[in-house]
């Protein structure tokens, strides 16, 4: 008998695709055949991730060439700046017809899919799925609480408009584990009117989102249980939020060896040479936010002045380490400008903290490894994630910032690193992070909350009532 078949369609951004590749592996472990839809420019990285999973395959559809998106850009990591983000989002709509053709032929095959799981940004997949009678489940690259806050603010924006940016927000029907002001909200939703092109796009995909058959959430009940009913209330019908994460924990660590390069080997070797456990801080600000050279200089001086050993993954192609500190950090600091294996680094016993932008994938990777976070949110919903991890869960502390948009000083970075790595707040955060890490690992094991939810989701898709 043929295995049940699921189609997965990730948005073309690293932070969106990685958890869906992990979900593919989780489904494969439950005897599900998975087909991933992607474009030629993203095919190699996907192939590298799934090569040892015979139940997972991929199909390519060409990425459209349109004005406003540089030629050859098929992933947001290739965009020259964030100003190209909206044209890129709009371009993905042109994938609708080729996707429909693929799904149509699949429906006529001997093993038609039991559902399509597609990214929030690919809202047009709902119309295709409805036309062909296939349930569409939506995937967000966010946590349940930040999604619930975003939806609540979007719906209740008119009532919130009188508030000053420093006043506490009171969101109807929500009990928040921290104080929230409008300055904490993502720019995409913190707007008085929704008439600009990005808001119109968000509204369009948001409409498809709330009419989907269910939501696949990369989180686990022990982390966000109390916020799930509020989040589900924004969806139509009986759509359920399936909390099946942290999805990264379904991955086999040996599969990550495919990415091993000389820098990966030298980082792990360097970490192993650090005698004291929890003594090194790992620093990374993700793949989307751009930091100025002046800000990167401040980070470098702050790390050097903190006195703690560090591994820093830098994305900038133009910035160089200031010469006067190159000598000072010799043997104590590693600055890497290549791809790094973040998951494996965070799991190393030498790592005791993570200076992070608080993208949701990074938060989950840190929590899963039991590593506390020094939170420095930059874009999107990262400020909400930082609030949750530091104020709500107590598994991190915040970098002290001056005015919004101002350069964060070396003193603030130095003080934050010292507190996280050697202060009382840092010790408390580490204990809490380690406890959350144990709960995260239990959740995906047989009998754990996420493992049970994954099985229930598959059961419902196989036998819809």
């Amino acid at each position: 008998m043929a295995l049940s078949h699921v189609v997965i369609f990730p948005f073309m951004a690293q932070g969106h695709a990685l958890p869906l590749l992990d979900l593919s592996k989780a489904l494969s472990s439950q005897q599900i055949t998975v087909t991933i839809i992607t474009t030629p420019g993203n095919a190699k990285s996907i192939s590298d991730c799934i090569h040892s999973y015979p139940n997972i395959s991929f199909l390519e559809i060409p990425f459209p060439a349109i004005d406003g998106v540089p030629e050859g850009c098929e992933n947001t990591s290739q965009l020259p700046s964030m100003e190209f983000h909206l044209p890129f989002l709009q371009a993905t709509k042109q994938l609708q017809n080729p996707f429909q053709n693929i799904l149509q032929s699949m429906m006529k095959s001997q093993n038609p899919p039991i559902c399509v799981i597609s990214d929030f940004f690919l809202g047009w997949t709902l119309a295709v799925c409805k036309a062909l009678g296939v349930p569409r489940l939506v995937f967000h690259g966010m946590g349940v609480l930040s999604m619930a806050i975003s939806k609540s603010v979007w719906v209740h924006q008119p009532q919130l408009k009188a508030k000053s940016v420093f006043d506490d927000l009171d969101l109807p029907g929500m009990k928040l584990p921290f104080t929230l002001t409008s300055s904490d909200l993502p720019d995409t939703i913190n707007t008085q009117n929704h008439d600009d092109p990005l808001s119109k796009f968000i509204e369009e995909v948001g409409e498809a989102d709330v009419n989907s058959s269910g939501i696949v959430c990369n989180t686990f009940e022990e982390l966000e249980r109390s916020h799930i009913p509020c989040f589900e209330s924004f969806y139509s019908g009986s759509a359920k939020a399936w909390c099946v994460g942290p999805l990264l924990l379904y991955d086999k660590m040996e599969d990550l060896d495919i990415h091993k390069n000389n820098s990966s080997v030298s980082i792990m070797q360097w970490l192993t040479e650090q005698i004291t456990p929890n003594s090194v801080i790992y620093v990374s600000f993700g793949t989307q936010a751009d930091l100025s050279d002046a800000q990167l200089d401040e980070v470098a001086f702050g790390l050097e002045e903190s006195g703690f050993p560090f591994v820093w993954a830098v994305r900038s192609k133009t910035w160089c380490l200031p010469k006067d500190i190159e000598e000072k950090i010799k043997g104590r600091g590693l600055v890497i400008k290549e791809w790094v294996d973040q998951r494996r680094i965070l799991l190393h016993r030498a790592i005791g903290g993570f200076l992070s932008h608080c993208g949701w994938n990074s938060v989950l990777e840190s929590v899963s490894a039991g590593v506390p976070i020094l939170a420095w949110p930059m874009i999107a919903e990262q400020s909400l994630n930082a609030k949750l991890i530091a104020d709500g869960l107590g598994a991190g502390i915040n970098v002290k910032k001056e005015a919004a948009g101002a350069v964060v000083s070396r003193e603030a970075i130095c003080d934050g690193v010292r507190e996280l790595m050697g202060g009382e707040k840092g010790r408390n955060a580490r204990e809490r992070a380690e406890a959350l890490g144990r709960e995260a690992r239990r959740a995906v094991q047989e009998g754990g909350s996420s493992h049970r939810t994954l099985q229930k989701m598959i059961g419902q898709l196989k036998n819809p009532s």
Side-chain angles (χ1 to χ4, degrees):
M1 189 173 132
L3 301 180
S4 294
H5 180 201
V6 168
V7 172
I8 290 184
F9 199 161
F11 177 63
M12 302 85 196
Q14 194 176 335
H16 290 245
L18 276 177
L20 279 175
L21 293 175
D22 291 331
L23 175 63
S24 303
K25 295 167 186 178
L27 291 169
S28 173
S29 73
Q30 297 295 312
Q31 301 306 301
I32 301 283
T33 298
V34 179
T35 304
I36 297 166
I37 309 295
T38 190
T39 68
N42 293 286
K44 186 182 184 308
S45 60
I46 286 176
S47 175
D48 286 347
C49 282
I50 63 170
H51 78 290
S52 62
Y53 290 81
N55 290 347
I56 308 175
S57 60
F58 66 91
L59 288 173
E60 296 176 30
I61 50 180
F63 194 87
I66 67 158
D67 290 341
V69 177
E71 194 180 343
C73 281
E74 296 187 22
N75 192 288
T76 58
S77 63
Q78 298 166 332
L79 296 174
S81 72
M82 286 303 284
E83 72 190 59
F84 293 93
H85 197 246
L86 180 59
F88 187 88
L89 290 170
Q90 301 282 14
T92 62
K93 290 183 186 179
Q94 295 191 27
L95 298 170
Q96 181 164 344
N97 285 341
F99 174 64
Q100 184 159 340
N101 294 338
I102 282 178
L103 198 56
Q104 221 157 9
S105 63
M106 284 179 174
M107 295 309 290
K108 293 173 186 167
S109 72
Q110 290 184 323
N111 194 15
I114 56 172
C115 77
V116 170
I117 301 172
S118 62
D119 192 279
F120 168 75
F121 282 145
L122 306 178
W124 48 264
T125 54
L126 177 65
V128 174
C129 291
K130 280 195 164 174
L132 296 171
V134 189
R136 183 251 182 159
L137 272 63
V138 63
F139 176 81
H140 292 255
M142 295 162 65
V144 161
L145 178 58
S146 58
M147 285 192 279
I149 290 171
S150 299
K151 287 186 178 297
S152 182
V153 169
W154 189 270
V155 170
H156 300 294
Q157 188 75 51
Q159 296 95 291
L160 303 174
K161 65 184 177 187
K163 299 275 188 184
S164 118
V165 292
F166 303 111
D167 286 341
D168 290 0
L169 286 178
D170 183 20
L171 300 178
M174 289 200 73
K175 194 173 179 184
L176 299 177
F178 47 74
T179 58
L180 182 73
T181 69
S182 61
S183 63
D184 297 316
L185 298 173
D187 292 339
T188 47
I189 60 165
N190 194 15
T191 173
Q192 293 305 322
N193 62 63
H194 297 153
D195 294 335
D196 62 285
L198 180 57
S199 291
K200 284 182 175 171
F201 180 86
I202 297 294
E203 198 154 40
E204 195 179 303
V205 294
E207 183 68 20
D209 174 34
V210 299
N211 288 297
S212 296
S213 302
I215 318 99
V216 180
C217 302
N218 189 13
T219 188
F220 55 107
E221 287 183 10
E222 291 80 0
L223 196 70
E224 302 192 274
R225 182 183 284 117
S226 60
H227 311 299
I228 296 169
C230 172
F231 173 58
E232 287 178 331
S233 72
F234 291 100
Y235 287 80
S236 60
S238 56
K240 182 173 168 53
W242 302 100
C243 297
V244 294
L247 290 167
L248 70 115
L249 292 178
Y250 292 102
D251 200 356
K252 297 182 242 171
M253 284 307 292
E254 58 267 26
D255 291 338
L256 302 180
D257 289 344
I258 52 160
H259 288 302
K260 267 195 175 175
N261 53 26
N262 289 337
S263 78
S264 284
V265 173
S266 63
I267 293 166
M268 302 314 288
Q269 197 174 324
W270 186 87
L271 285 170
T272 302
E273 287 164 7
Q274 308 308 304
I275 309 296
T276 313
N278 302 325
S279 61
V280 179
I281 187 161
Y282 170 62
V283 184
S284 175
F285 303 117
T287 55
Q288 295 296 148
D290 289 315
L291 276 71
S292 67
D293 286 1
Q295 182 62 86
L296 292 169
D297 283 351
E298 290 300 297
V299 175
F301 284 113
L303 291 172
E304 188 276 317
E305 286 169 19
S306 76
F308 283 89
F310 64 88
V311 172
W312 181 13
V314 179
R315 199 168 60 91
S316 172
K317 301 270 193 295
T318 57
W319 177 80
C320 292
L321 196 64
K323 283 191 168 56
D324 44 350
I325 66 166
E326 206 164 336
E327 200 57 41
K328 291 180 184 175
I329 65 163
K330 222 172 199 172
R332 185 167 63 79
L334 273 188
V335 179
I336 311 292
K337 286 197 164 191
E338 297 173 51
W339 180 90
V340 300
D341 191 340
Q342 178 163 294
R343 294 178 180 183
R344 199 181 288 276
I345 288 170
L346 287 168
L347 285 166
H348 198 284
R349 63 170 184 80
I351 296 293
F354 181 11
L355 172 53
S356 172
H357 63 304
C358 294
W360 189 242
N361 289 339
S362 289
V363 167
L364 285 178
E365 286 170 7
S366 208
V367 162
S368 299
V371 172
I373 289 176
L374 179 55
W376 182 355
M378 295 180 185
I379 57 170
E381 90 295 355
Q382 293 165 5
S383 54
L384 303 178
N385 299 338
K387 283 265 184 187
L388 175 64
I389 202 75
D391 303 341
L393 297 166
I397 61 175
N398 292 299
V399 169
K400 285 190 176 64
K401 290 188 187 177
E402 301 300 323
V407 169
V408 175
S409 70
R410 65 189 71 183
E411 291 80 16
I413 294 160
C414 172
D415 291 348
V417 171
R418 284 178 176 171
E419 184 56 57
L420 185 75
M421 300 300 288
E424 190 179 346
K425 285 181 187 170
R427 277 193 294 278
N428 293 337
R430 182 165 298 107
E431 282 176 21
R432 186 71 188 110
E434 287 170 353
L436 286 171
R438 289 190 290 273
E439 290 184 337
R441 292 187 290 277
R442 268 199 300 269
V444 299
Q445 287 165 5
E446 194 154 352
S449 61
S450 295
H451 190 269
R452 288 196 312 273
T453 300
L454 182 67
Q455 290 183 319
K456 277 185 205 163
M457 182 181 87
I458 293 167
Q460 188 169 308
L461 290 166
K462 283 181 177 178
N463 304 296
S465 50

